[in-house]
Amino acid sequence: MARIISGVALVLAFAVLLVPLAVYAGPPVVKALSGTPAERQIAVPSYQRPPSELSPNPVVQPLDPAAPLPDPAALAAALDAELALAGSGTVSAVVSDALTGNVLYERDPDAAGMPASTLKILTAAAVAATLDPGSRFETTVHAAQSGDETVLTLRGGGDVLLGSGASDEDAVVGRAGLTTLAREALQAIGDGAGTVRVQVDDTLFSGPALSPAWSEADVEAGEIAPVYSLAVNSAWVDESRQAGERTDDAALAAGDAFRNALASAGSGAGITVADGVERGALPSGAREVASAESATVAEQIQQMLLVSDNYLAEALARSAAAASGQEASFEGAASTVAAEVSRLGVDTTGLALADVSGLAAENSVTAAQLAQTVRKVLTSGNESLRPVSRGLPVAGLTGTLQGRYSDGAAAGLVRAKTGTLSAVTALSGYVTDADGRLLTFALVARNLDGNTAEARGAVDAAAAVLAGCGCR
């Protein structure tokens, strides 16, 4: 039993290291135990007896609001040493105390420029504030008779994490499966459907599918693709991965997967499925015959932050735009993100967004705006924002930070969103320092020329300083 209790304590301690308690008020981690098991009548060594209470654990407890703050001068000396770039480039940085909002370190905090993928912090906060984090996107199939044919319309509802196989309720990518939709649709229309023809309705999103702000090189590299209201795993050609080549028409690709699943399921029942897939609006009078729900909005936000999925970021923001009464377009998404971040209390002076994923060169965001958004997410009483703080990668362990901090410095302590382009590298998130003070930070190096890797190392080292430094 002692080993069990010790194991529980270790697990809890490790959980605190991975996810520092991001607010100074909230439910306690460990509740008092009530009741005492009955003692056996025979002699039992004390070490074999079940405990009546847990031993005090100094690690598993809320952060102490009286923990000392880093001395700004000592902190500046340590950070300046790490952020001195040997090559080209400039660094903007802000470090703040999460509890009070006091700025402890700043370096050109209002210098605006490309934030790279750290922009997804603003996007995630806006989506979480607009959409119910527990809600799900629904992909539906509708049937309409047309002569001796049955037209099945696959209608996109904003889920771009569809799977081509069976629905997997335990998954985020592929929770809604096109094979399951096909089987349910065939069962609903029955044997007298005649030839089945498939079309795709992707009219939920409006405007151009491909942004003129994106470089052709990024599109060719698979960083992004034309955005539609349904896609198999964010339009990646190999749906088993979160990288590689993307299809240039994710809606029709999803339709093809659905059509192939129909043909496979219908072959044994004598149902003929016509070749090809067309794009078209839902016919008048069509009846719904199948539906599948996505993972929750909260889970999709976390997925987007974890792997830095540009396609998912753009799709989520369009759904948020539609929910807020704006067009589900690039302009509507960018406007929604800016408006919601401002509503959170972030000073958005000078903020300019050409997309919401961070690829566009025209994006202009300051380190101060990044750090303020992180703090608002951590300290707001709005529970809807919690998926944002929980979705940030963990240094050395998860997502885009899994391969960084391999030397152990700050591994498991720093939680942050990465951002990397050819001339930009950035890191923004939060960390609990050695004295138990929760700090928010944004570190952005811009105008790099061939020294992006070195600048990323400097940014990582600066975050490690925050984790290990009491700095007094």
Side-chain angles (χ1 to χ4, degrees):
M1 180 60 71
R3 292 180 180 176
I4 294 174
I5 296 301
S6 177
V8 170
L10 286 173
V11 169
L12 290 172
F14 187 59
V16 170
L17 289 176
L18 286 181
V19 191
L21 294 177
V23 291
Y24 287 83
V29 177
V30 181
K31 293 182 179 180
L33 298 180
S34 61
T36 302
E39 292 286 348
R40 296 175 61 187
Q41 297 303 308
I42 60 175
V44 179
S46 60
Y47 60 82
Q48 291 184 356
R49 295 176 185 172
S52 59
E53 61 183 3
L54 290 177
S55 300
N57 190 320
V59 178
V60 184
Q61 55 183 302
L63 294 174
D64 182 1
L69 284 165
D71 175 67
L75 186 62
L79 291 177
D80 285 343
E82 298 294 353
L83 295 174
L85 301 181
S88 63
T90 58
V91 176
S92 298
V94 175
V95 178
S96 301
D97 174 47
L99 179 61
T100 63
N102 290 342
V103 175
L104 304 173
Y105 174 84
E106 59 182 8
R107 180 171 177 163
D108 293 329
D110 298 320
M114 294 179 69
S117 281
T118 56
L119 174 58
K120 292 184 178 72
I121 294 175
L122 276 65
T123 301
V127 171
T130 306
L131 302 176
D132 177 0
S135 65
R136 303 174 187 271
F137 303 115
E138 187 176 36
T139 305
T140 54
V141 181
H142 304 257
Q145 204 67 30
S146 177
D148 59 353
E149 286 187 334
T150 296
V151 177
L152 287 182
T153 302
L154 179 67
R155 191 179 195 187
D159 185 8
V160 298
L161 297 182
L162 295 167
S164 62
S167 297
D168 183 352
E169 292 188 355
D170 296 324
V172 176
V173 179
R175 188 189 191 280
L178 293 170
T179 294
T180 296
L181 276 173
R183 291 170 180 166
E184 291 180 359
L186 288 178
Q187 184 177 12
I189 62 177
D191 298 336
T195 299
V196 174
R197 182 165 54 86
V198 175
Q199 70 172 19
V200 172
D201 181 348
D202 60 359
T203 56
L204 178 65
F205 293 170
S206 58
L210 190 66
S211 171
W214 293 333
S215 73
E216 185 177 336
D218 284 336
V219 176
E220 291 178 351
E223 293 293 337
I224 193 61
V227 180
Y228 297 96
S229 58
L230 71 166
V232 174
N233 192 11
S234 289
W236 273 301
V237 172
D238 183 352
E239 69 175 295
S240 67
R241 304 177 60 203
Q242 279 80 47
E245 181 185 0
R246 297 195 205 234
T247 180
D248 60 1
D249 196 325
L252 287 184
D256 283 335
F258 176 67
R259 183 260 162 214
N260 293 339
L262 283 171
S264 177
S267 61
I271 296 176
T272 300
V273 180
D275 292 336
V277 176
E278 299 175 351
R279 178 176 271 112
L282 184 67
S284 176
R287 63 188 178 96
E288 183 177 313
V289 293
S291 65
E293 291 186 328
S294 71
T296 65
V297 168
E299 291 170 327
Q300 294 211 8
I301 288 172
Q302 292 172 334
Q303 172 75 7
M304 181 263 287
L305 293 171
L306 192 68
V307 302
S308 198
D309 188 340
N310 297 317
Y311 197 99
L312 181 55
E314 297 290 342
L316 286 171
R318 286 192 178 205
S319 291
S324 63
Q326 301 199 51
E327 288 291 323
S329 62
F330 285 113
E331 293 78 9
S335 177
T336 297
V337 170
E340 291 300 326
V341 169
S342 177
R343 193 170 288 114
L344 287 176
V346 175
D347 182 358
T348 56
T349 302
L351 179 73
L353 301 181
D355 70 8
V356 295
S357 55
L359 288 172
E362 293 83 359
N363 288 326
S364 187
V365 182
T366 69
Q369 288 163 347
L370 290 169
Q372 287 173 24
T373 303
V374 173
R375 179 174 180 266
K376 295 296 182 182
V377 165
L378 291 174
T379 60
S380 171
N382 184 357
E383 287 295 323
S384 295
L385 297 174
R386 295 294 174 258
V388 184
S389 60
R390 294 168 183 161
L392 295 177
V394 181
L397 293 174
T398 63
T400 55
L401 280 181
Q402 185 173 12
R404 291 160 70 166
Y405 297 92
S406 57
D407 60 357
L413 300 175
V414 172
R415 294 203 74 152
K417 181 70 198 73
T418 57
T420 303
L421 295 170
S422 59
V424 181
T425 190
L427 193 68
S428 183
Y430 62 96
V431 61
T432 303
D433 73 7
D435 289 325
R437 199 78 191 189
L438 186 67
L439 308 177
T440 61
F441 65 88
L443 309 164
V444 187
R446 300 189 182 99
N447 304 313
L448 305 173
D449 185 8
N451 61 334
T452 305
E454 292 80 1
R456 186 175 67 179
V459 164
D460 284 354
V465 164
L466 298 178
C469 178
C471 294
R472 292 190 303 282

